[in-house]
Amino acid sequence: MTRTIVHLMRHGEVHNPLGVLYGRIAGYNLSDLGHEMAAKVADSLKSNDITHLVSSPLERAQQTAQPLSDILKLDIQTDERVIEAGNKFEGVTFGTGEGSLWRPKNWWLVRNPMKPSWGEPYVEIAARMRAAIRDALEVARGHEAVIVSHQLPVWTARRAYEKARFAHDPRKRQCSLASLTSLTFEDDTFTGLQYSEPAGDLIPDALKKKFVGGA
């Protein structure tokens, strides 16, 4: 049997001083700390047998993939299927400000957390992520691949492979900034996963406790 590992990497910290749920909005780039996170993860993977590198088209993911590209001498393959999840709250802030989650005008959007009603259905996120993972698996057969994506797509893919229910508390996702969710396959069969945080020491304690949707 041929073993292949596909690492799902979440991008590093984004410069977002206003706390906007930026989703797919262009122009949100890594902060200085985010670039440091990306570099640290790349260094941790430099000895791995990685032969294929994929990224979401959004700037923060491309910037996170760049240090890996530089170290491994691999071109970044952009894949729209691993982009951030669609979200109807995109462009607003949560909390007490305008457009927040708890304003009565927005309650209709959160009527069904099982789907969810406020954004791209979990089943659709899972389907596109699994398709991208299958393609990466084929290209990197017998080696390793890295896909740089976003928190919700990575978490939804993990839930799909673990055959767990998609509905969840976003604050309890095990998918920190610049983390790796590493899927192992024997031939085409998923056999398990490992979660790691190579840049975990760079994540401020306050940020670890804060949920930033659409990230």
Side-chain angles (χ1 to χ4, degrees), residues 29 101 120:
N29 299 289
L101 180 61
E120 184 180 2

Side-chain angles (χ1 to χ4, degrees), residues 51-55 68-70 72-78:
T51 60
H52 187 51
L53 177 59
V54 178
S55 175
L68 270 170
S69 174
D70 294 340
L72 301 174
K73 308 302 181 187
L74 292 173
D75 291 335
I76 300 171
Q77 307 299 319
T78 300

Side-chain angles (χ1 to χ4, degrees), residues 122-186:
Y122 293 129
V123 293
E124 294 181 10
I125 300 171
R128 63 178 171 85
M129 286 294 292
R130 292 191 68 158
I133 292 166
R134 282 196 301 270
D135 285 353
L137 170 63
E138 186 60 35
V139 174
R141 182 79 61 183
H143 305 279
E144 300 177 35
V146 175
I147 297 176
V148 182
S149 184
H150 308 266
Q151 187 186 63
L152 183 53
V154 170
W155 181 249
T156 304
R158 172 176 173 169
R159 303 287 284 184
Y161 281 102
E162 292 182 321
K163 301 186 184 304
R165 64 198 300 263
F166 289 133
H168 63 281
D169 181 343
R171 297 168 297 181
K172 296 182 180 180
R173 295 173 188 161
Q174 188 181 41
C175 190
S176 293
L177 291 166
S179 61
L180 295 172
T181 299
S182 304
L183 312 174
T184 299
F185 297 86
E186 299 291 348

Side-chain angles (χ1 to χ4, degrees), residues 35-134:
H35 283 289
E36 188 177 351
M37 291 175 177
K40 186 161 189 176
V41 176
D43 186 68
S44 76
L45 293 173
K46 65 184 178 183
S47 297
N48 287 51
D49 185 23
I50 296 168
T51 60
H52 187 51
L53 177 59
V54 178
S55 175
S56 156
L58 296 175
E59 293 99 323
R60 57 191 184 272
Q62 294 277 323
Q63 292 166 353
T64 299
Q66 191 60 54
L68 270 170
S69 174
D70 294 340
I71 286 179
L72 301 174
K73 308 302 181 187
L74 292 173
D75 291 335
I76 300 171
Q77 307 299 319
T78 300
D79 192 334
E80 292 278 351
R81 296 174 297 182
V82 302
I83 198 170
E84 177 61 281
N87 194 311
K88 295 175 183 176
F89 285 105
E90 188 175 279
V92 304
T93 57
F94 281 5
T96 59
E98 182 179 356
S100 72
L101 180 61
W102 303 113
R103 291 178 67 88
K105 68 177 183 179
N106 290 325
W107 290 350
W108 175 250
L109 293 177
V110 295
R111 66 191 181 278
N112 182 3
M114 304 299 289
K115 188 177 179 180
S117 52
W118 58 84
E120 184 180 2
Y122 293 129
V123 293
E124 294 181 10
I125 300 171
R128 63 178 171 85
M129 286 294 292
R130 292 191 68 158
I133 292 166
R134 282 196 301 270

